[in-house]
């Protein structure tokens, strides 16, 4: 599906990539809207498997699989938000945040999702999700994924991820 949002840079004009960077605005039906909500998504690997969680039914993208994470609070860094969200959602301690892999605008929303590669300590437990599991990249391509997560999986499987 085509998103009704376009990503425009304040300084560079329309980029057309679907990827957003700090300072970008969203344009929907000709109206400019600033990206209002930063969201972190933790890319956690265990060998050749990645941790994904299934969103609760009744929430945005309910029933779809995603990388765990959540909204960044006012004044919070991406790293701090990742540590807090993984502790709250999964009951694990984040031991290392390597940095941002990519960021994507969530379809038809103000959410700018920052995908960060992280290491964790502890056994994750689904406190807020329906379930969680570890998947190979090839398995992830067959899952019903939230749109931004699907874009990241495509990037990872294409070998174009940084």
């Amino acid at each position: 599906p085509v998103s009704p949002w376009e990503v425009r840079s304040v300084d560079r004009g329309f980029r057309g990539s679907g990827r957003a960077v700090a300072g970008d605005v969203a344009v929907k039906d000709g109206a400019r809207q600033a990206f209002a909500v930063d969201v972190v998504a933790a890319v956690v690997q265990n060998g050749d498997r990645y941790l994904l969680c299934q969103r609760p039914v009744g929430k945005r993208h309910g029933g779809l699989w995603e990388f765990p994470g959540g909204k960044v609070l006012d004044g919070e860094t991406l790293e701090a938000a990742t540590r807090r969200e993984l502790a709250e959602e999964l009951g694990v301690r984040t031991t290392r945040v390597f940095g941002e892999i990519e960021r994507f605008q969530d379809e038809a929303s103000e959410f700018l999702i920052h995908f960060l590669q992280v290491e964790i300590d502890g056994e994750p437990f689904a406190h807020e999700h329906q379930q969680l599991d570890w998947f190979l990249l090839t398995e992830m391509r067959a899952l019903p994924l939230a749109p931004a997560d699907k874009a990241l999986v495509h990037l990872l499987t294409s070998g174009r991820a940084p």
Side-chain angles (χ1 to χ4, degrees), residues 1-134:
V2 176
S3 172
W5 294 84
E6 295 176 2
V7 176
R8 294 184 190 255
S9 169
V10 173
D11 298 322
R12 294 176 297 277
F14 180 62
R15 298 185 318 141
S17 67
R19 296 180 187 171
V21 296
D24 283 358
V25 295
V27 178
K28 182 177 182 182
D29 301 326
R32 292 168 50 102
Q33 298 183 24
F35 287 120
V37 181
D38 285 310
V39 174
V40 293
V43 179
V44 181
Q45 251 182 292
N46 184 2
D48 56 356
R49 296 188 174 272
Y50 293 80
L51 180 64
L52 292 179
C53 302
Q54 190 176 34
R55 290 189 57 80
V57 174
K59 286 198 168 188
R60 179 174 174 75
H61 301 312
L64 300 181
W65 290 85
E66 68 176 359
F67 292 93
K71 294 176 188 162
V72 178
L73 302 177
D74 285 342
E76 194 174 39
T77 66
L78 296 178
E79 180 175 339
T82 302
R83 291 177 186 281
R84 177 185 50 75
E85 285 288 343
L86 294 183
E88 291 173 3
E89 289 187 0
L90 304 176
V92 297
R93 186 174 68 85
T94 302
T95 57
R96 189 167 176 194
V97 178
F98 293 97
E100 187 174 78
I101 298 170
E102 186 60 88
R103 67 188 80 148
F104 293 100
Q105 163 71 37
D106 187 45
E107 291 184 356
S109 79
E110 70 277 13
F111 299 121
L112 178 60
I113 303 175
H114 303 264
F115 290 90
L116 301 153
Q117 185 177 6
V118 304
E119 279 182 1
I120 61 170
D121 183 41
E123 188 63 34
F125 178 81
H127 291 284
E128 297 182 19
H129 292 89
Q130 290 186 87
Q131 61 180 322
L132 58 81
D133 208 341
W134 297 90

Side-chain angles (χ1 to χ4, degrees), residues 141-158:
R141 291 173 50 180
L143 291 172
L145 296 165
D149 300 84
K150 184 175 186 175
L152 183 72
V153 168
H154 176 75
L155 188 70
L156 293 173
T157 58
S158 70

